[in-house]
């Protein structure tokens, strides 16, 4: 929460991160799913036809992109010290001189994302900030452990202090069209999250076609997902603009039918500032300005921050 000592810039950043109303989810609507059809070739063309960003807006948009990053480390050799170092970067992602020159002294990333075992170190490193800890869960990255084990893992991560839970769907359920089982599992995850926000990873590169991607996104939203996310970052094919476009249109359809606004998170393979700008341009075109906030849009990335900092340095006044 804000306090009397915070600066106007801090207040603006906190307001930009304020979460919209939770998505309550509901029953599985198979008739709705049957109406969903996506033309993959058309999505490829439309995703490629994105508007260029005016040079005058680049610094503002790059700074926005930086503030939408879920700064992530998901390595088997992660240590508490590495995670505390990552948290320090999350608190001050730009060199002090650069941040001052572009008026971004109070800019932080959106969240820090880690495995369950690293939640205490992340919380320690972020103490005194409003940057949330996100934890990957539910048998990440494959989602194939027993259902009860996946639910307990979520419960334990929330108990340890994770404010956001990133779960991965079992891809075989989507590929087989077993939407009821997928919905029921995700609804159980939503219950296990309690106050923590649920972010559902579809692993779009393994779902085969755009229609399956869009249907999986809708099932996740029907089950109560607060965000839908492209990838774990560990698939052979991770976030792509056409897959993201299919998900954005599912999000728009869900909003139009239910009134609930669900966030979107592309993840995996997004490492360049120009890629981030392409995602933001597509997002603005498809979902509008309301989604250009950390409350509704995130990048899952570990190396994107460095390239955004480089691009901001090039654009900054001397």
């Amino acid at each position: 929460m804000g306090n009397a000592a915070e600066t106007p810039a801090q207040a603006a950043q906190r307001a930009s991160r304020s979460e919209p109303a939770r998505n309550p989810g509901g029953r599985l609507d198979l008739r709705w799913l049957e109406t969903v059809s996506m033309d993959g070739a058309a999505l490829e063309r439309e995703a490629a036809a994105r508007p260029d960003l005016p040079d005058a807006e680049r610094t503002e948009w790059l700074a926005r992109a930086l503030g939408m990053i879920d700064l992530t480390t998901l390595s088997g050799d992660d240590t508490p010290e590495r995670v505390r170092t990552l948290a320090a970067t999350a608190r001050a992602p730009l060199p002090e001189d650069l941040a001052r020159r572009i008026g971004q002294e109070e800019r932080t990333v959106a969240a820090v994302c880690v495995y369950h075992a690293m939640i205490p170190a992340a919380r320690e490193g972020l103490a005194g900030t409003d940057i949330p800890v996100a934890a990957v869960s539910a048998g990440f990255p494959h989602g194939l452990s027993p259902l009860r084990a996946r639910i307990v893992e979520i419960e334990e991560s929330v108990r340890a202090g994770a404010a956001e839970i990133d779960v991965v769907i079992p891809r075989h359920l989507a590929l087989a069209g077993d939407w009821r089982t997928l919905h029921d599992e995700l609804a159980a995850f939503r219950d296990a999250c309690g106050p923590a926000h649920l972010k559902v990873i579809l692993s779009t590169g393994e779902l085969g076609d755009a229609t399956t991607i869009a249907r999986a996104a809708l099932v996740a939203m029907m089950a109560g997902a607060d965000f839908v996310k492209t990838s774990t970052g560990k698939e052979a094919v991770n976030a792509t603009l056409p897959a993201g476009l299919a998900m954005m249109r599912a999000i728009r359809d869900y909003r139009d039918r239910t009134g609930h606004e669900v966030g979107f998170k592309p993840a995996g393979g997004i490492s360049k500032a120009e890629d981030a700008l392409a995602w933001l341009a597509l997002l603005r075109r498809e979902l509008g300005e309301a989604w250009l906030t950390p409350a509704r849009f995130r990048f899952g990335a570990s190396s994107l921050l460095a390239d955004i900092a480089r691009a901001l340095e090039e654009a900054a006044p001397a």
Side-chain angles (χ1 to χ4, degrees):
M1 296 298 292
N3 58 64
E6 72 180 353
T7 67
Q10 287 173 321
Q13 172 118 353
R14 176 175 53 77
S16 75
R17 198 155 43 216
S18 296
E19 299 288 354
R22 298 288 303 276
N23 171 32
R27 66 181 181 85
L28 176 66
D29 189 337
L30 290 173
R31 290 185 180 179
W32 181 359
L33 286 185
E34 289 169 0
T35 69
V36 174
S37 179
M38 296 278 174
D39 183 333
L43 292 175
E44 292 271 0
R45 293 191 298 271
E46 292 179 58
R50 56 184 182 271
D52 292 329
L53 191 67
D55 287 343
E57 298 180 22
R58 282 181 60 83
T59 297
E60 176 193 348
W61 279 66
L62 287 168
R64 277 196 190 192
L66 186 151
M68 296 173 179
I69 293 174
D70 281 2
L71 197 58
T72 302
T73 183
L74 297 172
S75 298
D77 61 351
D78 281 340
T79 64
E81 184 57 34
R82 176 186 292 175
V83 170
R84 285 190 288 267
T85 299
L86 190 74
T89 301
R91 299 171 73 122
L94 295 175
E96 185 177 351
D97 176 66
L98 173 59
R100 185 174 62 254
R101 281 186 286 138
I102 63 175
Q104 297 291 329
E105 296 95 325
E106 309 299 338
R107 179 69 63 179
T108 71
V109 303
V112 169
C113 185
V114 295
Y115 279 117
H116 171 83
M118 295 297 137
I119 293 172
R123 291 191 68 198
E124 179 185 344
L126 297 173
T129 77
D130 64 351
I131 303 170
V133 174
V136 295
S137 195
F140 180 93
H142 302 300
L144 295 176
S145 53
L147 177 59
R148 183 57 194 157
R150 285 178 277 153
I151 292 171
V152 169
E153 185 181 6
I154 293 168
E155 293 170 341
E156 289 299 316
S157 288
V158 174
R159 190 172 293 115
E164 300 177 0
I165 300 293
D166 290 36
V167 305
V168 60
I169 69 167
R171 275 73 100 189
H172 67 94
L173 296 177
L175 291 168
D178 188 354
W179 302 120
R180 185 164 302 282
T181 300
L182 180 59
H183 175 275
D184 291 351
E185 288 194 3
L186 293 176
F189 295 166
R190 173 67 159 81
D191 288 343
C193 281
H197 284 233
L198 175 64
K199 293 148 75 182
V200 175
I201 308 166
L202 305 183
S203 295
T204 54
E206 297 181 350
L207 293 188
D209 60 73
T211 296
T212 302
I213 290 169
R215 289 178 176 177
L218 272 175
V219 170
M221 290 184 277
M222 291 175 186
D226 296 296
F227 265 75
V228 287
K229 175 179 170 182
T230 60
S231 317
T232 66
K234 299 182 182 295
E235 298 92 350
V237 177
N238 289 289
T240 67
L241 290 169
L245 182 53
M247 293 172 67
M248 290 179 199
R249 292 188 174 170
I251 289 169
R252 188 171 64 196
D253 188 18
Y254 187 78
R255 176 203 61 192
D256 291 347
R257 291 205 187 200
T258 70
H260 300 299
E261 298 178 339
V262 173
F264 173 61
K265 179 179 173 180
I270 304 171
S271 60
K272 301 298 183 184
E274 292 303 319
D275 296 335
L277 294 177
W279 278 104
L280 291 179
L282 186 64
L283 184 77
R284 180 170 66 170
R285 188 185 81 192
E286 293 296 318
L287 292 172
E289 293 285 337
W291 261 261
L292 294 172
T293 165
R296 294 189 181 89
F297 182 78
R298 304 283 183 82
F299 291 108
S302 55
S303 57
L304 176 61
L305 189 153
D307 201 62
I308 289 178
R310 176 201 56 78
L312 285 169
E313 181 65 55
E314 291 177 357

